[in-house]
Amino acid sequence: METQQQVRQHSTRTRTWHFIRHFAEMVAAMLVGMVVLGLATEGVLALTGLDLPASPEFASLKMAFDMAVGMVVWMRFRGHGWASTLEMSGVMFLPPVALFPVLWLGLLSADTMHLVEHVLMLPLMLAVMLRRRTEFGG
């Protein structure tokens, strides 16, 4: 028979594994959303002969949207509720919006802003997950 301490350790390991797996799934969903929707957009634009606005702000918001769509699709597929799904996908938009004034002031280049956005998205996702650790811990 397992002791109570062994059961607790197993339970903690299981919850930790679920938490880490969810984080990895969200990163993968972001990448898939970015690639799939990015390619779809390029295809539609090629067929129509239209161009997207060339501003770094638009590019940032489009990328955030593409990643958020990927996350929404995967989280709903995995059975998560709308509140946590919208929170998780919503944090994709915080870094770009927060960095726009820094870009406008000339303190960051567009390329650096895009890099910083991606770096900031990960801890923001983690913050949402920690806020709802019982849901994301399995």
Side-chain angles (χ1 to χ4, degrees):
M1 287 179 90
E2 288 185 300
T3 66
Q4 209 171 18
Q5 183 179 2
Q6 288 172 322
V7 170
R8 260 193 316 260
Q9 285 175 341
H10 175 71
S11 178
T12 300
R13 276 194 305 258
T14 301
R15 283 192 309 272
T16 301
W17 166 246
H18 284 286
F19 191 87
I20 292 168
R21 186 186 72 198
H22 179 77
F23 188 79
E25 287 178 359
M26 290 302 91
V27 172
M30 286 168 50
L31 293 172
V32 169
M34 196 167 54
V35 169
V36 170
L37 289 176
L39 290 173
T41 302
E42 286 180 29
V44 169
L45 291 173
L47 290 172
T48 62
L50 298 174
D51 290 322
L52 290 177
S55 75
E57 296 90 347
F58 183 84
S60 291
L61 292 174
K62 183 191 177 312
M63 191 176 322
F65 176 81
D66 293 349
M67 289 188 279
V69 169
M71 294 174 90
V72 168
V73 168
W74 189 249
M75 286 183 71
R76 294 299 294 166
F77 175 77
R78 297 284 275 155
H80 291 281
W82 277 112
S84 57
T85 299
L86 293 175
E87 281 180 3
M88 184 67 81
S89 58
V91 298
M92 297 298 98
F93 294 92
L94 290 178
V97 171
L99 290 172
F100 288 164
V102 180
L103 174 72
W104 298 331
L105 290 171
L107 300 174
L108 282 179
S109 69
D111 290 338
T112 303
M113 180 186 70
H114 292 309
L115 176 66
V116 173
E117 288 170 18
H118 284 88
V119 170
L120 290 175
M121 287 174 184
L122 298 175
L124 288 170
M125 288 168 46
L126 186 60
V128 169
M129 288 178 62
L130 288 170
R131 182 177 178 279
R132 295 181 176 270
R133 77 182 57 123
T134 53
E135 179 178 352
F136 296 122

